[in-house]
Amino acid sequence: QVQLQESGPGLVKSSETVSLSCTVSGGSISSNYWSWIRQPPGKGLEWIGYIYYSGSTNYNPSLKSRVTISVDTSKKQFSLKLRSVTAADTAVYYCAREDYSTSSGGYYMDVWGKGTTVTVSS
Amino acid sequence: DIQMTQSPSSLSASVGDRVTITCRASQTIITYLNWYQQKPGKAPQLLIYAASSLQSGVPSRFSGSGSGTDFTLTISSLHPEDFAAYYCQQSFSVPRSFGQGTKLEIK
């Protein structure tokens, strides 16, 4: 059974870059799309972007200028870099697997990490 | 980009009640609509995918319906563990987008 685990610094200073990683265990990273989603305190879910195992990416336009998602299949990890952070980037960051149903059609995020909290300090 | 709007934003109900949450997309998403449940301090969990397909392990009291722009999540008889937040999400196009959430509380 595939499991995901996020890792990264809990605290980052304003204007700096935060780097998070997500490690895939119990299955292969060499298929599926791999996503990042965040949730500010007390608020809803925001999709940041995803990467296909081959390296192709797609980002939320609201964050595209500051975000890079990459994958290292040899380490079974994918990563998020968010540049020039501000207090508005304080959130719980989740990684997730996006799978596809051949029977019903459509993509869905069926495996999620537990999340890692990123706090931006001034 | 596709906007997803859920209603209501919050809902009070009792154990045993039947509840319905609605989700509307700003354009047609066919049936590329997923529902998630999130409990406090936990990651979201997939309940329903492709509008009406029940994820493995999810109780049958959960059901989804709809197509085009209008969708519903129904819980046929609330259990105590169902009090949580619920989110819809479209997978028709990128960027993926979520509804703002519905918080289901105990009356």
mmCIF file of all heavy atoms in Angstrom, chain A residues 37 39 43-47 50 58-61 94 98 101 104-110 112-114, chain B residues 1 31-32 34 36 38 41-46 49-50 53 55 87 89 91 94-100:
data_model
loop_
_atom_site.group_PDB
_atom_site.id
_atom_site.type_symbol
_atom_site.label_atom_id
_atom_site.label_comp_id
_atom_site.label_asym_id
_atom_site.label_seq_id
_atom_site.Cartn_x
_atom_site.Cartn_y
_atom_site.Cartn_z
ATOM 1 N N ILE A 37 -0.638 20.175 -2.309
ATOM 2 C CA ILE A 37 -1.833 20.927 -1.929
ATOM 3 C C ILE A 37 -1.506 21.583 -0.593
ATOM 4 O O ILE A 37 -0.781 21.008 0.232
ATOM 5 C CB ILE A 37 -3.044 19.978 -1.748
ATOM 6 C CG1 ILE A 37 -3.311 19.186 -3.033
ATOM 7 C CG2 ILE A 37 -4.275 20.737 -1.309
ATOM 8 C CD1 ILE A 37 -2.730 17.776 -2.994
ATOM 9 N N GLN A 39 -3.066 24.127 2.850
ATOM 10 C CA GLN A 39 -4.241 24.549 3.600
ATOM 11 C C GLN A 39 -3.828 25.550 4.675
ATOM 12 O O GLN A 39 -3.267 25.157 5.708
ATOM 13 C CB GLN A 39 -4.947 23.349 4.236
ATOM 14 C CG GLN A 39 -6.247 23.679 4.920
ATOM 15 C CD GLN A 39 -6.990 22.427 5.341
ATOM 16 O OE1 GLN A 39 -6.392 21.440 5.759
ATOM 17 N NE2 GLN A 39 -8.305 22.461 5.220
ATOM 18 N N LYS A 43 -8.601 27.467 6.948
ATOM 19 C CA LYS A 43 -9.129 27.716 5.615
ATOM 20 C C LYS A 43 -9.218 26.430 4.792
ATOM 21 O O LYS A 43 -8.964 25.339 5.303
ATOM 22 C CB LYS A 43 -8.272 28.760 4.900
ATOM 23 C CG LYS A 43 -8.309 30.126 5.578
ATOM 24 C CD LYS A 43 -7.613 31.178 4.736
ATOM 25 C CE LYS A 43 -7.722 32.546 5.392
ATOM 26 N NZ LYS A 43 -7.068 33.611 4.580
ATOM 27 N N GLY A 44 -9.589 26.578 3.530
ATOM 28 C CA GLY A 44 -9.791 25.437 2.654
ATOM 29 C C GLY A 44 -8.524 24.986 1.950
ATOM 30 O O GLY A 44 -7.426 25.470 2.217
ATOM 31 N N LEU A 45 -8.712 24.064 1.020
ATOM 32 C CA LEU A 45 -7.609 23.433 0.311
ATOM 33 C C LEU A 45 -7.286 24.187 -0.975
ATOM 34 O O LEU A 45 -8.185 24.595 -1.715
ATOM 35 C CB LEU A 45 -7.994 21.990 -0.027
ATOM 36 C CG LEU A 45 -8.319 21.104 1.176
ATOM 37 C CD1 LEU A 45 -9.030 19.836 0.726
ATOM 38 C CD2 LEU A 45 -7.054 20.759 1.942
ATOM 39 N N GLU A 46 -5.999 24.339 -1.234
ATOM 40 C CA GLU A 46 -5.532 25.012 -2.456
ATOM 41 C C GLU A 46 -4.561 24.093 -3.181
ATOM 42 O O GLU A 46 -3.541 23.673 -2.597
ATOM 43 C CB GLU A 46 -4.855 26.334 -2.131
ATOM 44 C CG GLU A 46 -4.334 27.061 -3.372
ATOM 45 C CD GLU A 46 -3.648 28.374 -3.068
ATOM 46 O OE1 GLU A 46 -3.068 28.507 -1.962
ATOM 47 O OE2 GLU A 46 -3.685 29.278 -3.925
ATOM 48 N N TRP A 47 -4.839 23.790 -4.425
ATOM 49 C CA TRP A 47 -3.957 22.968 -5.245
ATOM 50 C C TRP A 47 -2.779 23.805 -5.709
ATOM 51 O O TRP A 47 -2.968 24.893 -6.264
ATOM 52 C CB TRP A 47 -4.742 22.435 -6.432
ATOM 53 C CG TRP A 47 -4.028 21.496 -7.330
ATOM 54 C CD1 TRP A 47 -3.807 20.164 -7.126
ATOM 55 C CD2 TRP A 47 -3.465 21.795 -8.620
ATOM 56 N NE1 TRP A 47 -3.139 19.615 -8.195
ATOM 57 C CE2 TRP A 47 -2.922 20.593 -9.133
ATOM 58 C CE3 TRP A 47 -3.369 22.947 -9.400
ATOM 59 C CZ2 TRP A 47 -2.292 20.507 -10.368
ATOM 60 C CZ3 TRP A 47 -2.751 22.875 -10.635
ATOM 61 C CH2 TRP A 47 -2.209 21.658 -11.102
ATOM 62 N N TYR A 50 1.264 19.770 -9.844
ATOM 63 C CA TYR A 50 1.657 18.379 -9.838
ATOM 64 C C TYR A 50 2.764 18.100 -10.848
ATOM 65 O O TYR A 50 3.077 18.952 -11.690
ATOM 66 C CB TYR A 50 0.481 17.429 -10.024
ATOM 67 C CG TYR A 50 -0.264 17.452 -11.363
ATOM 68 C CD1 TYR A 50 0.353 17.696 -12.586
ATOM 69 C CD2 TYR A 50 -1.630 17.186 -11.394
ATOM 70 C CE1 TYR A 50 -0.344 17.677 -13.776
ATOM 71 C CE2 TYR A 50 -2.340 17.166 -12.587
ATOM 72 C CZ TYR A 50 -1.689 17.407 -13.768
ATOM 73 O OH TYR A 50 -2.394 17.378 -14.953
ATOM 74 N N ASN A 58 2.581 20.878 -14.007
ATOM 75 C CA ASN A 58 1.519 21.858 -14.199
ATOM 76 C C ASN A 58 1.293 22.546 -12.866
ATOM 77 O O ASN A 58 1.234 21.870 -11.823
ATOM 78 C CB ASN A 58 0.237 21.181 -14.676
ATOM 79 C CG ASN A 58 -0.623 22.125 -15.492
ATOM 80 O OD1 ASN A 58 -1.028 23.164 -15.003
ATOM 81 N ND2 ASN A 58 -0.866 21.777 -16.737
ATOM 82 N N TYR A 59 1.197 23.879 -12.886
ATOM 83 C CA TYR A 59 1.107 24.666 -11.660
ATOM 84 C C TYR A 59 -0.151 25.510 -11.618
ATOM 85 O O TYR A 59 -0.702 25.893 -12.650
ATOM 86 C CB TYR A 59 2.322 25.600 -11.552
ATOM 87 C CG TYR A 59 3.669 24.917 -11.564
ATOM 88 C CD1 TYR A 59 4.675 25.331 -12.427
ATOM 89 C CD2 TYR A 59 3.947 23.863 -10.702
ATOM 90 C CE1 TYR A 59 5.922 24.716 -12.448
ATOM 91 C CE2 TYR A 59 5.194 23.227 -10.694
ATOM 92 C CZ TYR A 59 6.177 23.670 -11.579
ATOM 93 O OH TYR A 59 7.405 23.052 -11.586
ATOM 94 N N ASN A 60 -0.559 25.849 -10.397
ATOM 95 C CA ASN A 60 -1.623 26.809 -10.217
ATOM 96 C C ASN A 60 -1.114 28.175 -10.679
ATOM 97 O O ASN A 60 -0.062 28.629 -10.213
ATOM 98 C CB ASN A 60 -2.024 26.856 -8.738
ATOM 99 C CG ASN A 60 -3.316 27.625 -8.511
ATOM 100 O OD1 ASN A 60 -3.571 28.641 -9.148
ATOM 101 N ND2 ASN A 60 -4.123 27.133 -7.599
ATOM 102 N N PRO A 61 -1.838 28.837 -11.589
ATOM 103 C CA PRO A 61 -1.376 30.142 -12.081
ATOM 104 C C PRO A 61 -1.132 31.161 -10.969
ATOM 105 O O PRO A 61 -0.266 32.027 -11.106
ATOM 106 C CB PRO A 61 -2.514 30.604 -13.000
ATOM 107 C CG PRO A 61 -3.163 29.341 -13.455
ATOM 108 C CD PRO A 61 -3.066 28.404 -12.289
ATOM 109 N N TYR A 94 0.435 19.444 1.979
ATOM 110 C CA TYR A 94 0.207 18.014 1.762
ATOM 111 C C TYR A 94 0.768 17.585 0.412
ATOM 112 O O TYR A 94 0.660 18.329 -0.568
ATOM 113 C CB TYR A 94 -1.282 17.693 1.752
ATOM 114 C CG TYR A 94 -2.026 17.947 3.035
ATOM 115 C CD1 TYR A 94 -2.809 19.084 3.204
ATOM 116 C CD2 TYR A 94 -1.981 17.028 4.085
ATOM 117 C CE1 TYR A 94 -3.527 19.305 4.365
ATOM 118 C CE2 TYR A 94 -2.690 17.242 5.258
ATOM 119 C CZ TYR A 94 -3.461 18.381 5.394
ATOM 120 O OH TYR A 94 -4.154 18.594 6.552
ATOM 121 N N GLU A 98 -2.164 11.364 -7.476
ATOM 122 C CA GLU A 98 -3.351 11.462 -8.306
ATOM 123 C C GLU A 98 -3.416 10.231 -9.197
ATOM 124 O O GLU A 98 -2.521 9.999 -10.002
ATOM 125 C CB GLU A 98 -3.348 12.752 -9.136
ATOM 126 C CG GLU A 98 -4.664 12.983 -9.853
ATOM 127 C CD GLU A 98 -4.782 14.352 -10.488
ATOM 128 O OE1 GLU A 98 -5.133 15.314 -9.788
ATOM 129 O OE2 GLU A 98 -4.531 14.440 -11.705
ATOM 130 N N SER A 101 -9.072 6.450 -12.900
ATOM 131 C CA SER A 101 -9.964 5.308 -12.981
ATOM 132 C C SER A 101 -10.269 4.985 -14.439
ATOM 133 O O SER A 101 -10.879 5.796 -15.138
ATOM 134 C CB SER A 101 -11.277 5.604 -12.253
ATOM 135 O OG SER A 101 -12.236 4.601 -12.537
ATOM 136 N N SER A 104 -14.352 4.304 -14.497
ATOM 137 C CA SER A 104 -15.265 5.436 -14.371
ATOM 138 C C SER A 104 -14.759 6.676 -15.085
ATOM 139 O O SER A 104 -15.514 7.629 -15.308
ATOM 140 C CB SER A 104 -15.496 5.777 -12.899
ATOM 141 O OG SER A 104 -16.023 4.677 -12.207
ATOM 142 N N GLY A 105 -13.475 6.682 -15.376
ATOM 143 C CA GLY A 105 -12.891 7.884 -15.967
ATOM 144 C C GLY A 105 -12.586 8.913 -14.903
ATOM 145 O O GLY A 105 -13.177 8.924 -13.839
ATOM 146 N N GLY A 106 -11.646 9.775 -15.171
ATOM 147 C CA GLY A 106 -11.358 10.863 -14.245
ATOM 148 C C GLY A 106 -10.227 10.572 -13.293
ATOM 149 O O GLY A 106 -9.907 9.420 -12.996
ATOM 150 N N TYR A 107 -9.610 11.632 -12.840
ATOM 151 C CA TYR A 107 -8.500 11.565 -11.900
ATOM 152 C C TYR A 107 -8.992 11.918 -10.499
ATOM 153 O O TYR A 107 -9.964 12.661 -10.343
ATOM 154 C CB TYR A 107 -7.402 12.549 -12.311
ATOM 155 C CG TYR A 107 -6.657 12.157 -13.563
ATOM 156 C CD1 TYR A 107 -7.095 12.560 -14.825
ATOM 157 C CD2 TYR A 107 -5.501 11.386 -13.493
ATOM 158 C CE1 TYR A 107 -6.414 12.195 -15.971
ATOM 159 C CE2 TYR A 107 -4.803 11.025 -14.632
ATOM 160 C CZ TYR A 107 -5.263 11.429 -15.871
ATOM 161 O OH TYR A 107 -4.586 11.062 -16.997
ATOM 162 N N TYR A 108 -8.295 11.406 -9.500
ATOM 163 C CA TYR A 108 -8.650 11.688 -8.122
ATOM 164 C C TYR A 108 -7.405 11.497 -7.256
ATOM 165 O O TYR A 108 -6.497 10.739 -7.604
ATOM 166 C CB TYR A 108 -9.773 10.761 -7.636
ATOM 167 C CG TYR A 108 -9.534 9.306 -7.952
ATOM 168 C CD1 TYR A 108 -8.782 8.505 -7.092
ATOM 169 C CD2 TYR A 108 -10.039 8.733 -9.119
ATOM 170 C CE1 TYR A 108 -8.547 7.168 -7.399
ATOM 171 C CE2 TYR A 108 -9.803 7.405 -9.428
ATOM 172 C CZ TYR A 108 -9.068 6.633 -8.565
ATOM 173 O OH TYR A 108 -8.826 5.312 -8.876
ATOM 174 N N MET A 109 -7.376 12.190 -6.122
ATOM 175 C CA MET A 109 -6.238 12.096 -5.199
ATOM 176 C C MET A 109 -6.589 11.093 -4.115
ATOM 177 O O MET A 109 -7.366 11.389 -3.205
ATOM 178 C CB MET A 109 -5.906 13.478 -4.633
ATOM 179 C CG MET A 109 -5.280 14.383 -5.696
ATOM 180 S SD MET A 109 -4.925 16.051 -5.145
ATOM 181 C CE MET A 109 -6.386 16.910 -5.711
ATOM 182 N N ASP A 110 -6.027 9.895 -4.239
ATOM 183 C CA ASP A 110 -6.450 8.805 -3.364
ATOM 184 C C ASP A 110 -5.478 8.493 -2.232
ATOM 185 O O ASP A 110 -5.846 7.770 -1.301
ATOM 186 C CB ASP A 110 -6.714 7.541 -4.186
ATOM 187 C CG ASP A 110 -5.463 6.998 -4.857
ATOM 188 O OD1 ASP A 110 -4.502 7.781 -5.077
ATOM 189 O OD2 ASP A 110 -5.437 5.794 -5.162
ATOM 190 N N TRP A 112 -2.750 10.434 0.414
ATOM 191 C CA TRP A 112 -2.262 11.707 0.929
ATOM 192 C C TRP A 112 -1.231 11.471 2.025
ATOM 193 O O TRP A 112 -1.341 10.510 2.785
ATOM 194 C CB TRP A 112 -3.410 12.522 1.547
ATOM 195 C CG TRP A 112 -4.449 12.982 0.582
ATOM 196 C CD1 TRP A 112 -5.315 12.197 -0.148
ATOM 197 C CD2 TRP A 112 -4.780 14.331 0.244
ATOM 198 N NE1 TRP A 112 -6.145 12.983 -0.908
ATOM 199 C CE2 TRP A 112 -5.839 14.295 -0.685
ATOM 200 C CE3 TRP A 112 -4.278 15.571 0.641
ATOM 201 C CZ2 TRP A 112 -6.400 15.453 -1.224
ATOM 202 C CZ3 TRP A 112 -4.838 16.726 0.119
ATOM 203 C CH2 TRP A 112 -5.888 16.660 -0.809
ATOM 204 N N GLY A 113 -0.247 12.365 2.107
ATOM 205 C CA GLY A 113 0.610 12.379 3.273
ATOM 206 C C GLY A 113 -0.110 13.004 4.446
ATOM 207 O O GLY A 113 -1.231 13.521 4.303
ATOM 208 N N LYS A 114 0.521 12.955 5.608
ATOM 209 C CA LYS A 114 -0.106 13.500 6.820
ATOM 210 C C LYS A 114 -0.046 15.020 6.861
ATOM 211 O O LYS A 114 -0.763 15.646 7.639
ATOM 212 C CB LYS A 114 0.554 12.903 8.054
ATOM 213 C CG LYS A 114 0.281 11.414 8.215
ATOM 214 C CD LYS A 114 0.924 10.864 9.477
ATOM 215 C CE LYS A 114 0.603 9.379 9.649
ATOM 216 N NZ LYS A 114 1.222 8.815 10.869
ATOM 217 N N ASP B 1 -9.978 29.245 -15.563
ATOM 218 C CA ASP B 1 -9.955 28.312 -14.432
ATOM 219 C C ASP B 1 -11.388 28.033 -13.981
ATOM 220 O O ASP B 1 -12.263 28.873 -14.080
ATOM 221 C CB ASP B 1 -9.154 28.899 -13.271
ATOM 222 C CG ASP B 1 -7.703 29.148 -13.625
ATOM 223 O OD1 ASP B 1 -7.300 28.847 -14.788
ATOM 224 O OD2 ASP B 1 -6.969 29.660 -12.759
ATOM 225 N N THR B 31 -18.395 14.434 -15.424
ATOM 226 C CA THR B 31 -18.526 13.789 -14.107
ATOM 227 C C THR B 31 -17.175 13.727 -13.397
ATOM 228 O O THR B 31 -16.937 12.875 -12.545
ATOM 229 C CB THR B 31 -19.109 12.366 -14.228
ATOM 230 O OG1 THR B 31 -18.297 11.596 -15.108
ATOM 231 C CG2 THR B 31 -20.547 12.395 -14.726
ATOM 232 N N TYR B 32 -16.275 14.678 -13.755
ATOM 233 C CA TYR B 32 -14.935 14.659 -13.154
ATOM 234 C C TYR B 32 -14.937 15.422 -11.831
ATOM 235 O O TYR B 32 -14.324 16.483 -11.692
ATOM 236 C CB TYR B 32 -13.908 15.215 -14.141
ATOM 237 C CG TYR B 32 -13.797 14.384 -15.395
ATOM 238 C CD1 TYR B 32 -13.804 14.989 -16.665
ATOM 239 C CD2 TYR B 32 -13.692 13.007 -15.336
ATOM 240 C CE1 TYR B 32 -13.702 14.220 -17.819
ATOM 241 C CE2 TYR B 32 -13.598 12.237 -16.476
ATOM 242 C CZ TYR B 32 -13.602 12.849 -17.721
ATOM 243 O OH TYR B 32 -13.510 12.083 -18.866
ATOM 244 N N ASN B 34 -14.813 14.944 -7.513
ATOM 245 C CA ASN B 34 -14.448 14.101 -6.375
ATOM 246 C C ASN B 34 -14.894 14.760 -5.077
ATOM 247 O O ASN B 34 -15.006 15.981 -4.998
ATOM 248 C CB ASN B 34 -12.937 13.887 -6.342
ATOM 249 C CG ASN B 34 -12.397 13.368 -7.658
ATOM 250 O OD1 ASN B 34 -12.942 12.432 -8.256
ATOM 251 N ND2 ASN B 34 -11.312 13.975 -8.139
ATOM 252 N N TYR B 36 -14.104 14.722 -0.780
ATOM 253 C CA TYR B 36 -13.164 14.357 0.279
ATOM 254 C C TYR B 36 -13.765 14.711 1.631
ATOM 255 O O TYR B 36 -14.511 15.685 1.756
ATOM 256 C CB TYR B 36 -11.836 15.109 0.122
ATOM 257 C CG TYR B 36 -11.143 14.852 -1.201
ATOM 258 C CD1 TYR B 36 -11.453 15.601 -2.321
ATOM 259 C CD2 TYR B 36 -10.189 13.849 -1.331
ATOM 260 C CE1 TYR B 36 -10.846 15.357 -3.541
ATOM 261 C CE2 TYR B 36 -9.563 13.601 -2.543
ATOM 262 C CZ TYR B 36 -9.905 14.360 -3.643
ATOM 263 O OH TYR B 36 -9.297 14.117 -4.852
ATOM 264 N N GLN B 38 -12.498 15.598 5.591
ATOM 265 C CA GLN B 38 -11.332 15.966 6.382
ATOM 266 C C GLN B 38 -11.729 16.168 7.834
ATOM 267 O O GLN B 38 -12.597 16.982 8.137
ATOM 268 C CB GLN B 38 -10.662 17.237 5.852
ATOM 269 C CG GLN B 38 -9.354 17.553 6.567
ATOM 270 C CD GLN B 38 -8.684 18.813 6.057
ATOM 271 O OE1 GLN B 38 -9.325 19.760 5.639
ATOM 272 N NE2 GLN B 38 -7.346 18.820 6.094
ATOM 273 N N GLY B 41 -7.108 18.252 12.049
ATOM 274 C CA GLY B 41 -5.729 17.829 12.213
ATOM 275 C C GLY B 41 -5.298 16.674 11.334
ATOM 276 O O GLY B 41 -4.181 16.170 11.486
ATOM 277 N N LYS B 42 -6.168 16.267 10.418
ATOM 278 C CA LYS B 42 -5.874 15.124 9.555
ATOM 279 C C LYS B 42 -5.884 15.527 8.089
ATOM 280 O O LYS B 42 -6.436 16.552 7.706
ATOM 281 C CB LYS B 42 -6.914 14.012 9.762
ATOM 282 C CG LYS B 42 -6.991 13.497 11.188
ATOM 283 C CD LYS B 42 -5.726 12.780 11.588
ATOM 284 C CE LYS B 42 -5.862 12.144 12.961
ATOM 285 N NZ LYS B 42 -4.610 11.449 13.375
ATOM 286 N N ALA B 43 -5.266 14.686 7.264
ATOM 287 C CA ALA B 43 -5.291 14.912 5.828
ATOM 288 C C ALA B 43 -6.673 14.567 5.276
ATOM 289 O O ALA B 43 -7.387 13.740 5.847
ATOM 290 C CB ALA B 43 -4.234 14.057 5.146
ATOM 291 N N PRO B 44 -7.049 15.182 4.167
ATOM 292 C CA PRO B 44 -8.307 14.773 3.512
ATOM 293 C C PRO B 44 -8.261 13.304 3.101
ATOM 294 O O PRO B 44 -7.195 12.752 2.809
ATOM 295 C CB PRO B 44 -8.356 15.689 2.284
ATOM 296 C CG PRO B 44 -7.519 16.867 2.642
ATOM 297 C CD PRO B 44 -6.404 16.310 3.494
ATOM 298 N N GLN B 45 -9.454 12.710 3.057
ATOM 299 C CA GLN B 45 -9.592 11.327 2.594
ATOM 300 C C GLN B 45 -10.623 11.292 1.469
ATOM 301 O O GLN B 45 -11.690 11.909 1.582
ATOM 302 C CB GLN B 45 -10.052 10.420 3.741
ATOM 303 C CG GLN B 45 -8.977 10.108 4.752
ATOM 304 C CD GLN B 45 -9.405 8.994 5.714
ATOM 305 O OE1 GLN B 45 -10.360 9.139 6.460
ATOM 306 N NE2 GLN B 45 -8.713 7.873 5.656
ATOM 307 N N LEU B 46 -10.300 10.549 0.425
ATOM 308 C CA LEU B 46 -11.191 10.423 -0.716
ATOM 309 C C LEU B 46 -12.415 9.582 -0.353
ATOM 310 O O LEU B 46 -12.284 8.480 0.165
ATOM 311 C CB LEU B 46 -10.442 9.773 -1.878
ATOM 312 C CG LEU B 46 -11.234 9.526 -3.167
ATOM 313 C CD1 LEU B 46 -11.619 10.854 -3.827
ATOM 314 C CD2 LEU B 46 -10.406 8.666 -4.132
ATOM 315 N N TYR B 49 -15.301 9.352 -6.148
ATOM 316 C CA TYR B 49 -14.605 9.848 -7.334
ATOM 317 C C TYR B 49 -15.512 9.681 -8.551
ATOM 318 O O TYR B 49 -16.474 8.892 -8.519
ATOM 319 C CB TYR B 49 -13.257 9.163 -7.536
ATOM 320 C CG TYR B 49 -13.344 7.666 -7.776
ATOM 321 C CD1 TYR B 49 -13.379 7.139 -9.063
ATOM 322 C CD2 TYR B 49 -13.364 6.778 -6.698
ATOM 323 C CE1 TYR B 49 -13.463 5.780 -9.280
ATOM 324 C CE2 TYR B 49 -13.448 5.413 -6.912
ATOM 325 C CZ TYR B 49 -13.489 4.918 -8.195
ATOM 326 O OH TYR B 49 -13.574 3.560 -8.410
ATOM 327 N N ALA B 50 -15.213 10.424 -9.579
ATOM 328 C CA ALA B 50 -16.029 10.395 -10.799
ATOM 329 C C ALA B 50 -17.507 10.590 -10.481
ATOM 330 O O ALA B 50 -18.375 9.891 -11.037
ATOM 331 C CB ALA B 50 -15.786 9.095 -11.571
ATOM 332 N N SER B 53 -18.730 7.211 -7.872
ATOM 333 C CA SER B 53 -18.041 5.961 -7.534
ATOM 334 C C SER B 53 -17.507 6.014 -6.119
ATOM 335 O O SER B 53 -16.765 6.934 -5.757
ATOM 336 C CB SER B 53 -16.903 5.695 -8.523
ATOM 337 O OG SER B 53 -17.406 5.500 -9.833
ATOM 338 N N GLN B 55 -15.195 5.169 -3.153
ATOM 339 C CA GLN B 55 -13.823 4.711 -2.934
ATOM 340 C C GLN B 55 -13.830 3.466 -2.048
ATOM 341 O O GLN B 55 -14.663 3.347 -1.124
ATOM 342 C CB GLN B 55 -12.994 5.824 -2.297
ATOM 343 C CG GLN B 55 -11.606 5.445 -1.838
ATOM 344 C CD GLN B 55 -10.634 5.116 -2.972
ATOM 345 O OE1 GLN B 55 -11.036 4.962 -4.127
ATOM 346 N NE2 GLN B 55 -9.349 5.023 -2.656
ATOM 347 N N TYR B 87 -15.146 18.467 1.141
ATOM 348 C CA TYR B 87 -14.708 19.288 0.018
ATOM 349 C C TYR B 87 -15.001 18.574 -1.292
ATOM 350 O O TYR B 87 -14.736 17.368 -1.421
ATOM 351 C CB TYR B 87 -13.197 19.551 0.080
ATOM 352 C CG TYR B 87 -12.749 20.397 1.238
ATOM 353 C CD1 TYR B 87 -12.383 19.816 2.450
ATOM 354 C CD2 TYR B 87 -12.688 21.790 1.130
ATOM 355 C CE1 TYR B 87 -11.964 20.592 3.517
ATOM 356 C CE2 TYR B 87 -12.270 22.573 2.203
ATOM 357 C CZ TYR B 87 -11.921 21.966 3.389
ATOM 358 O OH TYR B 87 -11.502 22.745 4.449
ATOM 359 N N GLN B 89 -13.988 18.625 -5.467
ATOM 360 C CA GLN B 89 -12.800 18.964 -6.253
ATOM 361 C C GLN B 89 -13.017 18.516 -7.683
ATOM 362 O O GLN B 89 -13.476 17.397 -7.923
ATOM 363 C CB GLN B 89 -11.563 18.278 -5.661
ATOM 364 C CG GLN B 89 -10.278 18.499 -6.446
ATOM 365 C CD GLN B 89 -9.741 17.230 -7.068
ATOM 366 O OE1 GLN B 89 -9.928 16.125 -6.559
ATOM 367 N NE2 GLN B 89 -9.043 17.361 -8.203
ATOM 368 N N SER B 91 -11.605 17.473 -11.425
ATOM 369 C CA SER B 91 -10.407 16.963 -12.107
ATOM 370 C C SER B 91 -10.614 16.998 -13.623
ATOM 371 O O SER B 91 -9.975 16.241 -14.362
ATOM 372 C CB SER B 91 -10.076 15.545 -11.642
ATOM 373 O OG SER B 91 -11.144 14.660 -11.952
ATOM 374 N N VAL B 94 -6.774 21.417 -15.499
ATOM 375 C CA VAL B 94 -5.835 22.059 -14.594
ATOM 376 C C VAL B 94 -5.935 23.569 -14.800
ATOM 377 O O VAL B 94 -6.170 24.020 -15.927
ATOM 378 C CB VAL B 94 -4.384 21.560 -14.820
ATOM 379 C CG1 VAL B 94 -4.220 20.152 -14.269
ATOM 380 C CG2 VAL B 94 -3.993 21.639 -16.271
ATOM 381 N N PRO B 95 -5.807 24.350 -13.736
ATOM 382 C CA PRO B 95 -5.488 23.899 -12.383
ATOM 383 C C PRO B 95 -6.653 23.196 -11.712
ATOM 384 O O PRO B 95 -7.811 23.575 -11.913
ATOM 385 C CB PRO B 95 -5.154 25.200 -11.661
ATOM 386 C CG PRO B 95 -5.970 26.240 -12.362
ATOM 387 C CD PRO B 95 -5.974 25.827 -13.806
ATOM 388 N N ARG B 96 -6.339 22.125 -10.970
ATOM 389 C CA ARG B 96 -7.362 21.510 -10.145
ATOM 390 C C ARG B 96 -7.907 22.549 -9.166
ATOM 391 O O ARG B 96 -7.191 23.473 -8.779
ATOM 392 C CB ARG B 96 -6.774 20.343 -9.351
ATOM 393 C CG ARG B 96 -6.083 19.265 -10.187
ATOM 394 C CD ARG B 96 -7.008 18.583 -11.132
ATOM 395 N NE ARG B 96 -6.423 17.356 -11.675
ATOM 396 C CZ ARG B 96 -6.500 17.027 -12.961
ATOM 397 N NH1 ARG B 96 -7.109 17.808 -13.832
ATOM 398 N NH2 ARG B 96 -5.964 15.879 -13.352
ATOM 399 N N SER B 97 -9.147 22.404 -8.759
ATOM 400 C CA SER B 97 -9.733 23.364 -7.821
ATOM 401 C C SER B 97 -10.702 22.656 -6.884
ATOM 402 O O SER B 97 -11.354 21.673 -7.264
ATOM 403 C CB SER B 97 -10.420 24.507 -8.559
ATOM 404 O OG SER B 97 -11.248 24.027 -9.589
ATOM 405 N N PHE B 98 -10.765 23.184 -5.680
ATOM 406 C CA PHE B 98 -11.620 22.661 -4.617
ATOM 407 C C PHE B 98 -12.747 23.646 -4.322
ATOM 408 O O PHE B 98 -12.575 24.866 -4.488
ATOM 409 C CB PHE B 98 -10.813 22.469 -3.328
ATOM 410 C CG PHE B 98 -9.769 21.388 -3.388
ATOM 411 C CD1 PHE B 98 -8.477 21.675 -3.834
ATOM 412 C CD2 PHE B 98 -10.057 20.094 -2.980
ATOM 413 C CE1 PHE B 98 -7.502 20.694 -3.876
ATOM 414 C CE2 PHE B 98 -9.093 19.100 -3.009
ATOM 415 C CZ PHE B 98 -7.809 19.401 -3.464
ATOM 416 N N GLY B 99 -13.855 23.117 -3.831
ATOM 417 C CA GLY B 99 -14.840 23.980 -3.224
ATOM 418 C C GLY B 99 -14.298 24.524 -1.911
ATOM 419 O O GLY B 99 -13.277 24.044 -1.393
ATOM 420 N N GLN B 100 -15.006 25.482 -1.352
ATOM 421 C CA GLN B 100 -14.518 26.144 -0.131
ATOM 422 C C GLN B 100 -14.739 25.307 1.119
ATOM 423 O O GLN B 100 -14.236 25.651 2.187
ATOM 424 C CB GLN B 100 -15.194 27.513 0.033
ATOM 425 C CG GLN B 100 -16.605 27.460 0.614
ATOM 426 C CD GLN B 100 -17.673 27.158 -0.407
ATOM 427 O OE1 GLN B 100 -17.415 26.677 -1.501
ATOM 428 N NE2 GLN B 100 -18.912 27.468 -0.039
#
